[in-house]
Amino acid sequence: MSLLNQLFNRGIFGAKCKTSLNLAIARMKLLQNKRDMQLKHMKKEIAQFLQAGQEPIARIRVEHVIREMNLWAAYEILELFCEFVLARVPILESEKECPRELREAVASIIFAAPRCSEVPDLVQIKNLFGSKYGKEFIMVASELRPDSGVNRTIIEKLSPTSPSGEARLKMLKDIAQEYSLNWDSSATEAEFMKSHEDLLGGAKQIHRQDGISESQPSQHGYTQSSVSREVESLPAEATQRFQKLQAQNPAIKNVSSSKLTSASQVPPDTRRDQTDVMERARDALASADRATAAARAAAQLVNVSYGITVPTVAATEGKP
């Protein structure tokens, strides 16, 4: 029974494979003739754009021309592979594994089947090969795994990547020469050879410039570290007085510190750096004194209203 099934399946595979291959060959010939007419019309339009000085439109249209020509060349190679396999269908029927001499043709047809939507017969041929050789054989050719055997030219012609600037420039020159145009290609060459900057690298460049500007000194000859050194060089008496005021009333810490930081961030003059810093420090201390007096007055009012006697700051300091 199994022998009869093998003979029956073998006859079905051979008949279906021959039918699909013949249909694919005929369809690809029709598509090639159709594309010949389309390519002539598209090249003529590009020549008119070049003659009218509309080079940006011609640069866009020429990419479509290159894609169509690549597909036309792929159809030509696939047509030869289909004819090669069609003449050796009896060999495919008689052997369980794919013959070595047919490996490239079969693998190229399998790879091109999902990428040539205008030739659905290639998909049927791919399914027939999958039913005979297994899914793993199909996956190796479709995913271009090592030793897949797919033709290199088929891979390049059916690649989805856009053509390079050199290829587009060469095609434009060929079109201008074909239609005898006196076209100056200097502007197009400059456009194609221009290295467009990556927009994702803009933030990196900005951060890099910020780092350079921070590392370099400013135009006035000072940096933030120099200002901080000037603030640290205040007299010890003023520093002790300020610390004593902070210890007496914690409410003035934020005010006095903000005053001092704002004073330290102001750029000093080249000749009177220390004098300006001292004046701003004195202003901050004066504002701290006023804040202390206001806090003391508020505390006394609270004590009077509740009848609580609290020693004053002067008494705590030992002053009359």
Side-chain angles (χ1 to χ4, degrees):
M1 188 65 181
S2 59
L3 182 60
L4 293 175
N5 288 333
Q6 291 178 2
L7 292 174
F8 183 70
N9 292 331
R10 182 183 300 175
I12 292 177
F13 172 80
K16 287 186 176 180
C17 192
K18 287 182 179 180
T19 303
S20 299
L21 288 170
N22 285 321
L23 290 175
I25 292 170
R27 197 184 299 273
M28 283 188 286
K29 286 182 178 180
L30 290 175
L31 290 173
Q32 282 181 312
N33 295 332
K34 181 180 178 181
R35 269 186 169 73
D36 283 335
M37 301 299 296
Q38 290 178 351
L39 286 172
K40 290 180 181 179
H41 181 67
M42 293 168 65
K43 288 181 179 180
K44 185 177 180 181
E45 287 183 346
I46 292 175
Q48 292 175 356
F49 287 133
L50 292 177
Q51 190 174 7
Q54 298 179 354
E55 293 186 10
I57 301 177
R59 295 170 197 156
I60 298 172
R61 295 288 186 90
V62 74
E63 184 175 348
H64 186 55
V65 172
I66 295 174
R67 289 182 184 276
E68 292 295 322
M69 292 182 67
N70 289 339
L71 192 58
W72 186 93
Y75 283 160
E76 187 176 10
I77 298 173
L78 288 173
E79 182 183 346
L80 296 176
F81 280 151
C82 289
E83 292 177 353
F84 183 71
V85 174
L86 179 62
R88 289 161 178 79
V89 169
I91 299 176
L92 294 176
E93 287 182 317
S94 60
E95 298 184 8
K96 292 183 179 180
E97 300 294 333
C98 181
R100 192 174 187 84
E101 65 273 10
L102 294 174
R103 178 87 180 195
E104 183 180 3
V106 173
S108 299
I109 292 173
I110 293 172
F111 174 79
R115 294 167 176 81
C116 298
S117 57
E118 295 178 333
V119 189
D121 307 293
L122 295 177
V123 179
Q124 297 180 3
I125 299 171
K126 173 187 173 183
N127 295 333
L128 289 172
F129 288 147
S131 63
K132 183 173 180 60
Y133 301 123
K135 293 183 179 179
E136 185 65 22
F137 183 82
I138 302 296
M139 294 296 292
V140 169
S142 300
E143 298 177 0
L144 293 177
R145 296 181 185 177
D147 299 331
S148 61
V150 181
N151 184 267
R152 177 60 59 181
T153 307
I154 290 290
I155 297 173
E156 294 176 357
K157 297 301 181 181
L158 297 179
S159 176
T161 57
S162 59
S164 61
E166 292 82 0
R168 286 182 285 175
L169 180 61
K170 183 178 181 301
M171 181 58 62
L172 288 174
K173 289 182 178 179
D174 292 342
I175 293 173
Q177 185 178 2
E178 182 180 353
Y179 287 89
S180 301
L181 298 179
N182 188 12
W183 173 57
D184 184 12
S185 61
S186 59
T188 304
E189 288 180 5
E191 182 67 23
F192 284 154
M193 302 306 173
K194 186 188 300 182
S195 59
H196 298 282
E197 296 180 356
D198 189 5
L199 295 179
L200 296 178
K204 297 179 182 178
Q205 295 177 0
I206 293 173
H207 290 308
R208 193 180 302 114
Q209 291 175 0
D210 292 341
I212 293 173
S213 62
E214 288 178 0
S215 63
Q216 293 177 351
S218 60
Q219 295 179 357
H220 297 286
Y222 66 89
T223 57
Q224 189 173 1
S225 60
S226 63
V227 176
S228 62
R229 286 196 298 270
E230 293 292 339
V231 175
E232 290 176 358
S233 64
L234 290 174
E237 183 181 355
T239 306
Q240 292 176 0
R241 184 181 176 187
F242 177 70
Q243 292 177 354
K244 189 181 293 185
L245 290 173
Q246 281 186 335
Q248 291 174 3
N249 192 359
I252 66 171
K253 288 183 178 180
N254 295 330
V255 177
S256 59
S257 62
S258 63
K259 292 286 186 180
L260 285 178
T261 52
S262 63
S264 63
Q265 292 177 356
V266 177
D269 192 25
T270 55
R271 294 184 178 180
R272 297 184 303 171
D273 295 340
Q274 188 174 1
T275 305
D276 293 340
V277 173
M278 289 291 296
E279 290 179 358
R280 288 176 174 79
R282 290 193 188 95
D283 294 339
L285 291 174
S287 63
D289 290 337
R290 289 193 295 270
T292 303
R296 189 184 299 115
Q300 289 177 358
L301 288 175
V302 173
N303 294 335
V304 169
S305 61
Y306 287 96
I308 301 173
T309 59
V310 178
T312 61
V313 177
T316 59
E317 293 180 358
K319 297 179 180 180

